[in-house]
Amino acid sequence: MELFNTLGGKVENLEPVGAPELRMYCCGPTVYDYGHIGNFRTFLHVDVLRRFLRQQGMAVKFVMNVTDVDDKIIRNAAAAGKPIAEYTEKYEHAFFEDSDSLGILRPEIVAHATSCIPDMVSLIQKLAEQDIAYQTEDSSWYFRIARFPEYGKLSRKDFDGIEDGARVDVDEYEKDAARDFALWKACKPGEQSWTTELGCGRPGWHIECSAMATKFLGESLDLHCGGEDLMFPHHENEIAQSESASGQPFARHWMHVRFLLVEGRKMSKSEGNFYTLRDLLLKGYRASAIRFLLISVPYRHQMNFTFESLLESTNAIDRLRTFHQRMLKGGFPEGTDETLAAATAKAEESYTASLANDLNTAEARAAIFDLVRAANSAADAGMLRAGNVQEILRVLDLFDGVFAVLKDNDAEITRAALAWAEKEGRSSEAAPELVTKFAFSDDEIEKLVAERTSAKKARNFARADAIRNDLMTKGILIEDSKDGVRWRRK
RNA sequence: GCACCGAUGGCGAAGUGGCUAACGCGCUGGUCUGCAAAACCAGUAUUCGUGGGUUCAAUUCCCACUCGGUGCUCCA
């Protein structure tokens, strides 16, 4: 497949080199709070890539780190009066719970910063031997950027222009050069620290990824991913550290997912447009719709997240699911309609080609909707045959292997979110209509639906419609068809 | 300030130097239905931010401007 490579700024073929599997690393979350939709847009697109590569028959070994010690964690844990391990455990658990809700597959390996300290220490020692790492008076260790002439090759920055610019950390006066970055931060009283050959302290942020990626994937990776903001300085620093230590290219391919806007503005707490996944679930939006929306705009484009588009995604998924059910129900005559068979083959081809072309999810999506229309249309015209259905379901499975929205476990996820809100004392944040919608059990709904069906049989339409309207106000939709009644939560 | 990215219908959003500018949602009308829902059909941008240029031909390439976003600092 072809994927844009930030290093070099071109679309390039992505394939494993020197190993049977593609070695892929993604900078994961810093677990100091619940994940927001911006975080998840990145992880979702990385998931889409991984699923597609696998589907294309490529073996992938995917490693993601969890940053479980850093300034924010130390600050927040102290404020909460908890040891950092206990504090981070909660948010890491929540992160993976949210990832599951969004259909993000778990990495092959999850690497924790706090369990890889010795690897970081030996990496820094390697740099120290070459005098690339140096110690300041306070016993912290820094990376000497002057010793890595290629610094800036990823983000293609002109450092000559910036070097003497206004923004220099005033409190880092001990460094030899303003841009030198911390590898190891000397311990401070009351802060979590490790006593190592480098002295007492804790790792800098950048060294984590270099050490862990190398530990689990070797000195040269096939692909390194992350949000666009990480390109500089984080990834640039990773390259500098890793390549200085190993003398080899750190990662051949770099993928960066662009930020999203919320209602046309940068998402931020001060703008009041900052949303975690849980916020949205409690507002009554479905996990599947959030996934679908977040991956529908190709990863290299800035996307504008709005509540209107979230509703649109919900409706689009309903269309797909309704169609899927229609195909599964079957009952079509034997044989194959050639026109539809051709349309199906074309949809499959277009779907694959779109994703293979730098992960154009918008086009891949369009290919599937083309198929839905063609098949629905053929079915209505009495042209759909069992042989077509078989192929259509296969293509639909292919699509869903990457998009993962056909299986409906939204109610389950929403219930879990409600339970969480209850437990955390945040139930007031849950939308009232959500509470009424889920107050009804499936059994109760079935009972009312049965009652309506018998009222209908007795041609008591007034009673039947009253039941239907009542359920409608509670968010439950009833559909009659030739072969029975179907209901679903809207 | 310097650098980079974007601007396509009511909304979201693909795409291309030249065939009717995808797809989804919405809306309007029709078919179906006891009525709905689902589904289908038809309609919904003579036009791709503004102004100039290159070209036989530009939404697509170039320049300027306007607006939005991003990076230069922790951030997915």
Side-chain angles (χ1 to χ4, degrees):
Chain A
M1 88 161 282
E2 299 276 302
L3 190 73
F4 184 83
N5 187 355
T6 310
L7 189 62
K10 288 197 306 283
V11 173
E12 287 173 13
N13 192 33
L14 177 67
E15 58 188 354
V17 165
E21 63 205 356
L22 187 92
R23 289 155 309 172
M24 170 175 176
Y25 183 89
C26 178
C27 292
T30 299
V31 285
Y32 67 98
D33 204 349
Y34 293 103
H36 57 71
I37 53 177
N39 293 315
F40 286 115
R41 166 149 139 111
T42 296
F43 299 125
L44 240 6
H45 276 285
V46 171
D47 182 63
V48 164
L49 174 65
R50 188 153 78 112
R51 283 169 176 264
F52 181 64
L53 291 174
R54 281 184 175 179
Q55 195 170 79
Q56 295 300 104
M58 192 184 282
V60 178
K61 185 177 182 186
F62 176 56
V63 177
M64 188 179 76
N65 73 302
V66 168
T67 299
D68 55 358
V69 57
D70 93 318
D71 295 351
K72 264 180 287 208
I73 290 172
I74 289 170
R75 185 194 66 206
N76 290 12
K82 284 183 180 168
I84 68 163
E86 187 186 323
Y87 183 82
T88 55
E89 199 279 328
K90 173 181 171 174
Y91 291 107
E92 179 179 340
H93 182 78
F95 173 80
F96 283 109
E97 214 168 59
D98 289 347
S99 295
D100 291 347
S101 298
L102 289 172
I104 297 170
L105 300 175
R106 301 271 182 134
E108 269 76 39
I109 295 172
V110 175
H112 292 86
T114 55
S115 28
C116 298
I117 303 284
D119 305 284
M120 301 181 210
V121 170
S122 62
L123 181 56
I124 296 170
Q125 283 179 312
K126 250 191 209 173
L127 295 171
E129 282 163 21
Q130 300 171 257
D131 194 37
I132 292 171
Y134 64 92
Q135 204 167 12
T136 50
E137 270 173 46
D138 73 339
S139 300
S140 291
W141 290 80
Y142 284 89
F143 184 95
R144 200 184 302 283
I145 284 182
R147 290 287 304 277
F148 191 71
E150 288 184 290
Y151 193 77
K153 67 178 173 181
L154 181 69
S155 49
R156 286 190 293 280
K157 285 186 182 304
D158 173 15
F159 288 105
D160 298 338
I162 304 170
E163 199 76 57
D164 299 320
R167 282 161 158 165
V168 174
D169 293 350
V170 280
D171 56 344
E172 308 283 19
Y173 55 90
E174 288 183 288
K175 291 188 287 182
D176 288 1
R179 302 210 75 86
D180 287 358
F181 58 89
L183 294 165
W184 185 260
K185 299 183 177 185
C187 52
K188 290 185 191 149
E191 279 188 8
Q192 170 91 43
S193 64
W194 286 261
T195 302
T196 71
E197 296 90 322
L198 297 171
C200 164
R202 60 187 172 89
W205 175 41
H206 315 293
I207 198 69
E208 236 186 73
C209 290
S210 285
M212 293 193 281
T214 304
K215 177 176 185 178
F216 295 105
L217 295 170
E219 290 181 328
S220 211
L221 327 177
D222 295 307
L223 176 65
H224 194 130
C225 320
E228 64 168 328
D229 56 309
L230 297 185
M231 200 163 93
F232 183 87
H234 184 54
H235 289 162
E236 206 73 74
N237 292 351
E238 282 187 53
I239 290 173
Q241 296 161 343
S242 304
E243 300 192 353
S244 295
S246 74
Q248 294 191 52
F250 179 45
R252 290 184 305 108
H253 217 114
W254 290 83
M255 173 198 190
H256 292 99
V257 180
R258 286 205 71 180
F259 270 2
L260 57 70
L261 305 180
V262 175
E263 304 286 354
R265 309 229 44 99
K266 183 180 178 170
M267 179 168 74
S268 76
K269 284 180 178 164
S270 56
E271 286 269 352
N273 63 354
F274 182 94
Y275 300 107
T276 64
L277 174 66
R278 286 158 199 249
D279 291 336
L280 298 181
L281 292 176
L282 291 182
K283 282 178 184 290
Y285 297 99
R286 298 189 209 160
S288 60
I290 297 166
R291 176 182 173 96
F292 200 48
L293 175 61
L294 257 21
I295 63 180
S296 286
V297 178
Y299 77 96
R300 278 213 289 147
H301 293 233
Q302 186 172 61
M303 85 158 286
N304 185 15
F305 179 97
T306 66
F307 287 100
E308 198 186 338
S309 56
L310 196 45
L311 242 25
E312 286 165 15
S313 273
T314 307
N315 293 340
I317 290 176
D318 275 343
R319 177 168 164 85
L320 293 172
R321 286 180 181 169
T322 303
F323 173 72
H324 189 219
Q325 290 305 119
R326 188 179 194 183
M327 293 301 107
L328 286 176
K329 184 158 272 169
F332 299 100
E334 288 305 306
T336 301
D337 176 77
E338 292 308 326
T339 310
L340 183 54
T344 308
K346 193 177 159 223
E348 177 178 2
E349 201 186 304
S350 165
Y351 156 82
T352 308
S354 299
L355 290 184
N357 177 22
D358 198 23
L359 231 49
N360 191 335
T361 45
E363 257 190 356
R365 218 186 88 137
I368 295 308
F369 279 105
D370 280 337
L371 175 62
V372 170
R373 188 173 3 82
N376 266 328
S377 178
D380 283 4
M383 302 296 285
L384 187 69
R385 297 288 176 270
N388 293 310
V389 172
Q390 207 186 336
E391 277 301 286
I392 289 167
L393 283 173
R394 191 179 58 74
V395 174
L396 224 43
D397 271 354
L398 211 58
F399 164 79
D400 204 48
V402 169
F403 282 77
V405 292
L406 291 180
K407 182 169 174 267
D408 184 355
N409 51 6
D410 291 316
E412 203 181 298
I413 291 165
T414 302
R415 279 206 187 89
L418 286 169
W420 165 81
E422 183 77 28
K423 193 175 136 231
E424 291 278 311
R426 294 169 71 160
S427 35
S428 61
E429 291 169 34
E433 62 270 21
L434 194 65
V435 178
T436 56
K437 179 155 46 165
F438 285 97
F440 262 104
S441 73
D442 291 7
D443 285 350
E444 285 170 301
I445 296 167
E446 298 283 2
K447 228 179 105 190
L448 283 167
V449 168
E451 193 188 329
R452 172 175 170 276
T453 304
S454 43
K456 260 183 59 175
K457 271 212 182 92
R459 301 198 67 77
N460 182 357
F461 293 122
R463 174 68 189 142
D465 289 352
I467 294 172
R468 186 173 63 193
N469 291 338
D470 183 44
L471 285 171
M472 185 96 83
T473 59
K474 286 159 179 135
I476 293 135
L477 191 74
I478 294 185
E479 294 174 5
D480 297 330
S481 75
K482 283 158 198 71
D483 26 35
V485 186
R486 209 162 73 91
W487 67 267
R488 58 196 166 99
R489 288 194 168 83
K490 189 69 184 159

